[in-house]
Amino acid sequence: MLKTENRNGKAAVARAALALFAEKGVMATTTRDIARRAGVAEGTLYRHYQSKESLSQDIFRQCLEQFSSYLRQRVQAQKSTVGKFRVLVQAFFDFAQQEPANYSFVMFGHDAGLPLPAGSGAMPRDVVVELMRDGMEKGVFQLRDANLAAAMVIGALTRVIYFKQHGLIDEDYQQIVPQVAEACLRMISPEDIWATECC
């Protein structure tokens, strides 16, 4: 019974910490805040994590892996490179809507310089870079540097999401996503390719 309680306590701490980190940031969140939000004693946090920093790093890693896995699964279900790209854009927006705390903490973690997990494929960026590289090899995307193409695409997606979240864009997501996908395709592809579903 104690093991189950320990697992439940750890999950409650992690959920509370994620919500607070996404709202306030790591620095402004205290262990007392986390314990209060989780409904546990402050000492419970230290049974599961060495420090607030180790807790934030663990949550950051989990959020990155969840986001990456979500994007990868959605992209792999498509056959054409252009189809994969459009689904990638949709999935990016869907994750931000469906998992707002996870998405916000991924964005915050990058800005705050939290340590990134080692290993290829562990970050959402890796999914985008892989798709850019594959599209370049097939002649679908015209830029020569997959990281540059990924940076341009991710920059466009994250800024549109930011503007939408802060009430600066009135259109709903279903109207926004196709416009953003087409604009991004125009940045990285010749017109005769992005206008079709053939590649």
Side-chain angles (χ1 to χ4, degrees), residues 8 12 19 34 37 51 72 83 88-89 91 108 112 130 135 164 169:
N8 290 343
I34 296 167
R37 176 76 65 97
S51 64
R72 197 176 299 282
L88 173 76
V89 172
F108 164 83
E130 288 165 19
K164 177 62 178 165
I169 298 174

Side-chain angles (χ1 to χ4, degrees), residues 1-17 34-35 37-41 44-45 47-49:
M1 185 68 178
L2 182 59
K3 286 184 179 178
T4 302
E5 287 172 1
N6 281 344
R7 280 199 304 270
N8 290 343
K10 184 174 183 177
V13 166
R15 280 193 305 273
I34 296 167
R37 176 76 65 97
V40 299
T44 302
L45 189 147
R47 267 189 245 144
H48 304 294
Y49 299 97

